[in-house]
Amino acid sequence: MSPVPTPPPGSPHGPHSPAADRVIARKRRRRPTRSGVVLSHELIVDTAIRLLGQGGDGALTVRRLGTALGADPSSIYRYFRDTDDLVLAVADELIGRTLAGTRTGGGWRDRLRSIGEHLHATYVAHPQVALLAASRVTRRPNEIRAVEAGLGVFREAGFPPALAARHYHQFVDLTLGFAALDAAANALPAEAAAADRAAWTATYARLDPDAHPHISACAGPLAATMVTSAYPGALALFLDGLEARLAAVTAPGTGR
């Protein structure tokens, strides 16, 4: 017998379709668990974020999640198709938290800075979630709102659609890349993190200046900057570049 093809995502009967969501919704329990807790999508996501913060990505299993909720692990599947579906929901929750803190007024540069700073801070505050979710595309409401808002900033600034899409992509990847890097540093064991910080004074600052003249000349500033996040400076450089690009795009006679 030929295998039955799986409908693509977004189709009327696909894995993320309204029809599939209605099936899951009908399976959701409304009575309390054995610990007296009434399960909900939001409670499960919040608990998953807490577990990830306590024990890393290995802590996010259906069994451990069920234990933390005081519920039978199988009850999780009434809300999420599998653990990957849960990971995407966790990622979308972080995006939602970012949106809640960003400014909606002001010029395009201030708005982008606000989005970037809040997105970076939210992911760095949850390092294990960032490592697990920063590279994912959730296809969920918060992410869709974020993409719409981000593209809107670029288009309202004056970038045409092609450049708005390209620069939005660059902005998001810049921010999430630094967030993942800084989150990974924050997730290191304390001893390893301390050794990494000390290396700039204990190793690099003591290198032979004849063999390493550039390191020697920059040793003090290097030790000061390498223990901080480079994201604020990188974001400022990116915004400066956007400003110069926008001036060129909107200059008279460019055929915009």
Side-chain angles (χ1 to χ4, degrees):
M1 179 182 294
S2 300
V4 177
T6 301
S11 70
H13 301 287
H16 293 286
S17 68
D21 289 339
R22 285 194 295 271
V23 171
I24 289 180
R26 284 197 297 270
K27 294 180 179 179
R28 293 175 181 173
R29 66 185 298 166
R30 297 302 178 187
R31 61 183 182 277
T33 67
R34 58 176 177 269
S35 64
V37 175
V38 177
L39 290 183
S40 68
H41 179 281
E42 294 76 15
L43 177 62
I44 295 171
V45 169
D46 287 344
T47 304
I49 292 173
R50 177 167 56 83
L51 285 179
L52 285 165
Q54 293 172 350
D57 56 0
L60 188 58
T61 66
V62 171
R63 183 176 297 278
R64 289 177 179 173
L65 190 54
T67 299
L69 290 165
D72 189 294
S74 65
S75 63
I76 306 301
Y77 294 113
R78 296 188 177 98
Y79 296 82
F80 301 96
R81 299 171 184 83
D82 49 34
T83 53
D84 193 62
D85 194 33
L86 176 57
V87 166
L88 294 178
V90 165
D92 203 58
E93 170 62 19
L94 288 197
I95 296 171
R97 295 181 185 185
T98 296
L99 290 172
T102 56
R103 62 183 301 173
T104 57
W108 68 265
R109 184 170 178 134
D110 288 339
R111 291 167 65 192
L112 281 182
R113 182 185 293 110
S114 178
I115 293 170
E117 289 174 348
H118 280 87
L119 182 59
H120 179 268
T122 300
Y123 272 78
V124 170
H126 301 87
Q128 299 295 350
V129 180
L131 296 176
L132 193 63
S135 64
R136 302 304 304 275
V137 180
T138 75
R139 309 178 294 280
R140 284 162 168 75
N142 287 330
E143 182 184 75
I144 291 171
R145 287 197 299 129
V147 174
E148 177 68 16
L151 288 172
V153 174
F154 283 97
R155 295 203 65 199
E156 290 163 16
F159 288 105
L163 288 180
R166 184 184 308 164
H167 295 324
Y168 169 79
H169 181 197
Q170 294 162 348
F171 169 70
V172 169
D173 279 12
L174 174 76
T175 301
L176 290 179
F178 271 101
L181 182 65
D182 292 340
N186 287 355
L188 285 173
E191 185 176 352
D196 283 358
R197 289 193 299 271
W200 301 106
T201 52
T203 301
Y204 281 87
R206 298 179 182 180
L207 292 173
D208 181 356
D210 293 329
H212 307 282
H214 301 303
I215 293 177
S216 180
C218 300
L222 190 66
T225 191
M226 293 302 289
V227 295
T228 64
S229 172
Y231 179 64
L235 178 60
L237 283 174
F238 181 76
L239 294 175
D240 286 346
L242 280 179
E243 198 156 10
R245 185 75 176 104
L246 183 60
V249 169
T250 57
T254 58
R256 173 175 169 260

